Every structure is written in structure tokens, then in C-alpha cells.
Amino acid sequence: MVSEAVIWSIFLLPLGSFAFIALVVRPLLNRYSLISGIVTIGALGTALGFSIWTLRSVILHHDLNFEPIEWLDVGGATIEMGLLVDPLTAVMLVVVTGVSLLVQVYSLGYMKGDPSLSRYFAYMSLFTASMLGLVLAVNIIQLYVFWELVGVSSYLLIGFWHERPAAAAAAKKAFIITRIGDVGFLIAILYLFLKAEDFAAAGMNAFHIPDIWQAAQPEAAAGVILGGAALTWLALGIFSGAAGKSGQFPLHAWLPDAMEGPTPVSALIHAATMVAAGVFLVARFFPVFQNSPDAMTVVALVGAFTAIMAASMGLVMNDIKRVLAYSTISQLGYMMAALGLGLYAAAIFHLATHAAFKALLFMGAGSVNHATGTFDMRYMGGLWRRLPITYILVVVAGLSLVGIIPLAGFWSKDEILLGAWNGTGLVDTWVSRVTFSALLAGVIVTAFYTIRMIVLTFHGEFRGGVEKELEDQAQLQSAPAGAADHGGGHLHESPFSMVLPMVALGLAAAALGYLANPQWNEEIGIPRHWITGFLADGLGSALGLAGHAETLDFSRWMAAVSTVAALTGIGLALAVYVVHVRRREQRADPLERVKPVHTLLSRKYYLDTLYEDVIVRKGFFGVIAGTLDWIDRNLVDGTVDLIGWFFRNIGTAIGKFQTGQVQAYATGIAFGVLAIILALLLA
């Protein structure tokens, strides 16, 4: 069985690589910045090996119990530092370290030549360590510390090219919006602190996560600690933080802009880890959510609405990374909807498959950018001949995203759709039906924008790349910030260091679904529903409830329904865009013919306008900001200027008395002596 020291090493290895790069490589060996990449890859490779060892131990022994270290006692609640290693943790450790390792290998080729390469790998190491610390935390305060550190790390990575105004603005936007969601999470923690005495009376710790689970169970002796409306508000507070990190409506506006960071950053934190942290948070506290039907309903409906809304905006984006950004928001909506319906294991299974195929899609976007110098699909086309490996892998990942059998996305997405149709009894039937309808519509839309992206990028004739883009913009200065990361102007396949991790993710996107395939697993010695059953049984074991969550048998009719929906979207996209890319003159996207709808979608339902113009600049916050600005400029600055004016001018006035005449000084001394004598007499 794996030891506690080995599990701590999974977190400490990337943290150590961050410290080594920041304190040794960057200040002393920056000219050999490739060392930073090698150190990061070595640390993450070892961490991945330890994560697989941990997963094996959890499979054999289920939960691994380690005694946490008590740090502080605050009002009867103890803040601990310790490990919570259950099936959810074990799966997430492999996902985080595995994807992060492949992204760092990819970065060796993609970021080659960047003058800040050491800083890049330092930030990546810090982010990965923060995410691993979040996954391993046994105490909600410990979790919150790493939760905020993930936010800081993402701010640094999104704004990595801070000299670009768009990148700096995107980093600030991501940081502020996710902090808004974190206010709710913080309020939930404060409520637990107020309940510390009740927890202590029941022999529990208000900050210890397994104790929070138990306190929320109605059949537990301490169930009265967390119940009723208070339990609902606690769950919604936690969900608020999760919605911010996972880009759920209405806190989704930051994620598309975050594509201003380097493409490997998008592949890691905006496809597989940071945005998945919100889903992980709800899953971590699922025993709390499942006892509040109102909170579950909110999570399910918000997730379903986010899935279809974000997918619709992906239809009209011309920037390939922004198409994938809205796709990410949509798929996170699927996961949240699944958790809201009670499909705990299916949601985490989809998180794992999504990490593989979406990270691959982002890497594919980086590969075509490396060749063309642009992310604008209007200036791509015809790349399948020049980038055949990238093309094949993007098609595999795209079809997995759409949910085509037998690729990984099919198995995880179908399990969510089947569970939504059947219902779980944790929410009302109408909630399950509405969620199912939204998610099934999302399959059609997802298929359409995915095939649109593939056709515009790889088919037809090459449309000029970055040179044509700049020519159309008339002058270089008008090029959008972040239009290209690196490269451009050489249409050939990416280097081996970029292709190798893409191939590995392609294999995962194709084969990961077999872990839960109920038809063939037993034939190769793996139990049916292995991964979903493993997760569900782990949850039941943590609560002392055997068979707590059920897995679903494969449904041929649901597979047929979802496949027909996917093929419908694929067929519509091919019918529209295959003809479009064959035309010599491609002045406008075919969807622009539906002008009002296209405008609404391209303007992102005017939500950015609402947030940035109406609320921030002209609304309540705008009034506050304007008032504070007036106070700062007129009162604060005026007071400082007045003090400066006073001392500057009083010095001039006093200087008039410095005449240099001895007799004048003697007269002054005489009057001073007389004044002192007079004062003494009067006293």
C-alpha cells in the first residue's frame, strides 16, 4: 500500500520544481532556461507515477486513512493539514498530473524561443502544485487556501504576456469574476465556523470535510447541525465558488477572454484542471448537496442552461480557441447538470474524458497556430495536407467531444443523458426532463460547431494565414493582441515534442471510454462499470452507506437517440460549410445570413456589455467608482497638494528674514530675550 510520504510527494514535487526554478534557475541560470522545462517534466513524471500507485492502492484498499496534523484551534474548530485520499481524489490526481505532464512536454516545442521560458515553467509548476493541494485537502480551510492559490496562479498564466493589453485585461477579468464567486464560498465557510460549537458537542470538527459530510446526513445523530434552509444556503454558497471557477452562468464571461494566455495554458487550466476544480468542489461536497433538493435543482438547471447557452455562442466564433473556450463552458455545464441530478460518478467520468479530448483540441489549435501564425479560422483552410497528424488527432478529439461511438466522450456523455432521462429521485421529474432536453439539444449544437471548426480549419484551400490577416487589417498596429502565440508562415507539421503528447491524448480520447464500457469490460477481465462503480462505491463507503449510488446499464435506445442527435448536427454543418469552403470568395460566414441571431450570439447575448458598461461603468458600481475617483482626485490629492504648497511657500516666507545682516539678527535676539522675560513675569 502507498505510504503517506509518497502521497505528500505528489504535491511537493511540483512545488519543489517551482521553488528551484524561481530561486535558482531564473536568477542564476536563465540563459539555460531549458533546464526549467526538464525539471518541471521530471517532477511531474514522478508525481504521475506516484498518482498511479495511489490509484492502485485505493482500488485495492478503498479509502486510505491518514491522521491529519492539527495546526490551529479557532473558536472550537480545528484547522488541520492532512490528506483525504478516496476514489475521487485518486482519479483526480491521475488526471491532473497526467494532463499537466503532457502539456509541459508540449510546451518545450510550443514555447521554444520565448525569453521568459523559466518564468513560464515556474508558473506552471506552481499552478499544478496548487491544484494537487486542492484535491488532497482534508480540511475546508486547507482546501480554500489552495483554491485561492489556483486563482492566483491562473491570473499569472493568463496574463503571462502582460505586455499585451488584452492579456493583462483578461487576467484581471478572470481574477475579479472568480473572486465574486468565491465570496459565496467564503460565506459558507464562515457559517460552518458559527456552527463550530455544535460540531464540537457532537465530537466533530466544523472544518473537517468528512465531518461536514456526516453532519449533513439526516439519519446521522448530528444531522440537526446542518439541515433545512441553512443546509440549502450552505450548499449554494459552495456552488457559488464552483460556478466562478467552472464558468457557469452568470459567471462565465471570464473564460473566453482567458484564451489570451499561451495555448498550453489553455490546454491545462481551461480544459483539464482549474475549470474542473469547480466540478470537483461540488463533487467533494456532494453528500451535502444531495440532502438539499432545492440546491440540487439549482445546480442542475444552471448547468443545463450553461451547456446550451455556451454551445450556441460557439457557433459564431471565428477564433478557434474561443470556439473551444465556449465548448469547455458547455461541457462543464454537462458535468454540473449531472451532479445536480445526482449522477455523481457519471459527472466525474465525463470530467476525466473531457480532460483528454479537450486538452488535445487546444493542443491542436496550438499546432495550427504554430503553422499559420493565426487563430482566426477565416485565414486557415486546406491544412489537412500539410498537418496530417494534427488533422487526424483533432478529428478524433472532435468526434469524442460530439459523442460518437466508440470514442471516450460517447460513454461518459451518454451515461449523463440516460441518467437525466431516467431520473434519480433527488430532484423533481420536471427538472430531469428539462435538463435532458437542454443537454440533448446541446449535443446537436456541439456537433455543428465542432464540424464547422474542423472544416474551416482543415478543408478547402489555404486562405493566407497571418500574412493575409494582417494585409486585410491594412497595418500591423491594428492586429488584435494575441492573434498569434508563436510561429507562422511555415505550413508543416509541428515538432516531435508537440506531436508526442497529442498522440498520447489521442489514444486516451479514443480508449478511455472502455474503462466504463459495460459490454466488453468483463470479457477483458475488468468489472462492468469499473470507473463509475468505483467512484460511486467510494462515495457510499465514505458515508457508511453500501451501494449508495447506482450505475446505469448501457441503453441501446439512448445510444441511438444521442447518436442521431450528433449525426444531425454533423450533417447540418457539412451541408453548410463544405460548400462554403469550396467557394473562391468567402466574404461572410453562412450563419451571418440570419443577421439578428448571429449578432446576438456574436455579441455574447450582450452580457459583457451588461457587466462592463451598464453595471461597472454606468450602474451602481460605476457611481461608487466615480464617487471614489472624485474623492481621490479632489480631496485626497487636493489635501496632499495643499500641504506641499504650504511648506513650499512658508519656506519662502521664512527665507525673507534671512538677510545676512548681523545687526538685524542682534535685534531679533534682543526682542526674543525681552519676550522670554515678559513671559516669566506674567507666569
Side-chain angles (χ1 to χ4, degrees):
M1 187 174 74
V2 67
S3 68
E4 184 177 4
V6 168
I7 300 175
W8 274 115
S9 297
I10 298 172
F11 159 69
L12 293 173
L13 280 165
L15 184 64
S17 70
F18 162 72
F20 180 75
I21 295 168
L23 301 177
V24 178
V25 177
R26 192 153 189 267
L28 303 177
L29 305 170
N30 199 42
R31 59 183 297 184
Y32 306 107
S33 55
L34 187 62
I35 296 175
S36 302
I38 296 172
V39 168
T40 302
I41 291 169
L44 289 174
T46 307
L48 174 60
F50 288 166
S51 297
I52 295 172
W53 186 7
T54 301
L55 177 61
R56 179 179 180 276
S57 295
V58 174
I59 292 170
L60 295 176
H61 304 284
H62 232 62
D63 295 358
L64 304 178
N65 297 312
F66 302 106
E67 192 67 26
I69 301 170
E70 295 186 3
W71 181 38
L72 290 175
D73 186 274
V74 184
T78 302
I79 301 175
E80 306 162 322
M81 293 294 289
L83 301 172
L84 176 54
V85 185
D86 60 359
L88 175 61
T89 302
V91 170
M92 287 296 297
L93 287 177
V94 174
V95 169
V96 173
T97 55
V99 174
S100 184
L101 173 63
L102 293 174
V103 167
Q104 309 316 322
V105 175
Y106 179 89
S107 298
L108 287 178
Y110 191 84
M111 298 295 291
K112 183 179 180 181
D114 194 290
S116 300
L117 193 62
S118 290
R119 178 165 61 91
Y120 170 83
F121 281 111
Y123 288 170
M124 284 294 229
S125 296
L126 177 63
F127 172 80
T128 305
S130 303
M131 187 67 197
L132 292 170
L134 166 67
V135 169
L136 289 165
V138 74
N139 187 283
I140 196 170
I141 302 297
Q142 179 187 354
L143 186 152
Y144 187 74
V145 169
F146 288 113
W147 180 267
E148 294 301 334
L149 195 54
V150 165
V152 171
S153 303
S154 66
Y155 169 81
L156 295 172
L157 285 166
I158 294 168
F160 177 74
W161 287 312
H162 49 78
E163 65 277 6
R164 298 178 180 178
K172 182 172 64 176
K173 185 175 183 179
F175 190 79
I176 291 173
I177 292 180
T178 53
R179 294 293 75 68
I180 292 171
D182 290 350
V183 170
F185 188 16
L186 180 59
I187 291 173
I189 294 174
L190 293 175
Y191 176 75
L192 291 172
F193 174 69
L194 293 176
K195 287 286 186 178
E197 292 185 0
D198 294 337
F199 273 86
M204 294 190 292
N205 178 7
F207 293 152
H208 189 67
I209 293 174
D211 287 350
I212 298 171
W213 296 344
Q214 294 296 337
Q217 305 309 309
E219 65 270 20
V224 292
I225 297 176
L226 299 175
L231 179 63
T232 297
W233 285 109
L234 173 68
L236 292 178
I238 295 171
F239 178 64
S240 172
K245 280 283 194 295
S246 290
Q248 299 299 286
F249 176 85
L251 300 177
H252 65 282
W254 68 270
L255 204 152
D257 289 355
M259 298 302 107
E260 293 293 341
T263 300
V265 170
S266 303
L268 179 61
I269 70 178
H270 301 129
T273 49
M274 175 193 168
V275 294
V279 177
F280 169 81
L281 184 67
V282 176
R284 176 57 85 206
F285 290 96
F286 185 77
V288 175
F289 281 85
Q290 68 173 354
N291 290 299
S292 173
D294 292 335
M296 294 283 280
T297 298
V298 170
V299 174
L301 294 180
V302 168
F305 179 76
T306 301
I308 187 64
M309 179 202 68
S312 68
M313 288 187 280
L315 291 171
V316 299
M317 294 295 126
N318 294 315
D319 185 307
I320 188 172
K321 283 177 67 177
R322 278 172 169 73
V323 174
L324 297 176
Y326 283 112
S327 174
T328 296
I329 298 172
S330 178
Q331 296 305 304
L332 291 167
Y334 271 85
M335 300 172 210
M336 284 295 188
L339 288 169
L341 295 176
L343 303 169
Y344 166 83
I348 302 305
F349 181 39
H350 192 53
L351 185 155
T353 60
H354 175 264
F357 62 68
K358 186 56 63 65
L360 175 54
L361 285 170
F362 272 111
M363 288 184 183
S367 184
V368 297
N369 169 256
H370 188 268
T372 65
T374 180
F375 288 113
D376 195 326
M377 296 183 293
R378 294 172 295 184
Y379 298 96
M380 297 181 187
L383 298 179
W384 71 271
R385 301 181 187 89
R386 303 295 186 91
L387 288 78
I389 300 175
T390 297
Y391 172 65
I392 292 170
L393 292 172
V394 168
V395 169
V396 169
L399 294 180
S400 185
L401 166 63
V402 172
I404 298 298
I405 193 169
L407 301 175
F410 167 81
W411 302 104
S412 56
K413 189 176 289 186
D414 258 40
E415 188 149 350
I416 293 174
L417 290 171
L418 181 61
W421 177 258
N422 290 342
T424 60
L426 295 177
V427 295
D428 293 338
T429 302
W430 71 268
V431 176
S432 296
R433 291 290 185 266
V434 168
T435 302
F436 173 80
S437 301
L439 297 184
L440 188 62
V443 172
I444 300 174
V445 180
T446 299
F448 190 97
Y449 70 66
T450 302
I451 299 304
R452 171 183 179 265
M453 177 190 71
I454 292 173
V455 172
L456 288 178
T457 302
F458 293 99
H459 291 273
E461 297 298 324
F462 181 59
R463 295 184 288 278
V466 68
E467 291 83 3
K468 177 63 175 173
E469 181 180 13
L470 296 176
E471 179 184 330
D472 287 351
Q473 292 166 350
Q475 54 182 346
L476 182 62
Q477 287 76 8
S478 65
D485 287 357
H486 292 281
H490 46 277
L491 295 179
H492 55 71
E493 191 59 81
S494 298
F496 179 75
S497 60
M498 293 172 62
V499 171
L500 178 62
M502 291 172 64
V503 171
L505 286 170
L507 293 174
L512 199 57
Y514 287 82
L515 289 176
N517 188 331
Q519 300 300 308
W520 302 321
N521 277 356
E522 289 181 340
E523 297 177 11
I524 59 176
I526 301 175
R528 294 179 67 187
H529 302 288
W530 174 80
I531 192 168
T532 50
F534 171 62
L535 289 163
D537 291 345
L539 181 65
S541 174
L543 300 175
L545 304 171
H548 171 73
E550 296 181 359
T551 54
L552 301 169
D553 286 329
F554 177 72
S555 170
R556 295 182 185 274
W557 76 266
M558 182 55 70
V561 169
S562 66
T563 301
V564 168
L567 293 177
T568 300
I570 291 173
L572 289 172
L574 290 174
V576 173
Y577 284 96
V578 168
V579 175
H580 174 69
V581 297
R582 287 178 177 174
R583 294 174 179 169
R584 291 183 179 273
E585 295 292 330
Q586 300 171 18
R587 296 183 179 178
D589 190 286
L591 295 181
E592 291 186 31
R593 296 172 185 173
V594 192
K595 194 66 176 178
V597 176
H598 186 275
T599 301
L600 180 66
L601 296 179
S602 61
R603 294 296 300 273
K604 310 167 192 175
Y605 294 101
Y606 294 94
L607 287 173
D608 278 2
T609 302
L610 172 65
Y611 294 159
E612 296 178 17
D613 293 343
V614 177
I615 296 177
V616 174
R617 292 189 175 93
K618 301 175 183 176
F620 175 71
F621 295 103
V623 172
I624 293 177
T627 302
L628 293 175
D629 179 62
W630 183 89
I631 292 172
D632 182 60
R633 285 186 291 105
N634 292 277
L635 298 184
V636 178
D637 288 353
T639 302
V640 173
D641 291 343
L642 179 62
I643 294 172
W645 176 88
F646 174 78
F647 284 103
R648 185 170 61 250
N649 287 279
I650 197 173
T652 302
I654 294 173
K656 298 294 185 183
F657 294 98
Q658 302 301 317
T659 62
Q661 297 178 355
V662 176
Q663 60 269 31
Y665 296 160
T667 302
I669 293 171
F671 277 111
V673 171
L674 290 174
I676 293 171
I677 293 171
L678 181 61
L680 290 172
L681 291 174
L682 291 175

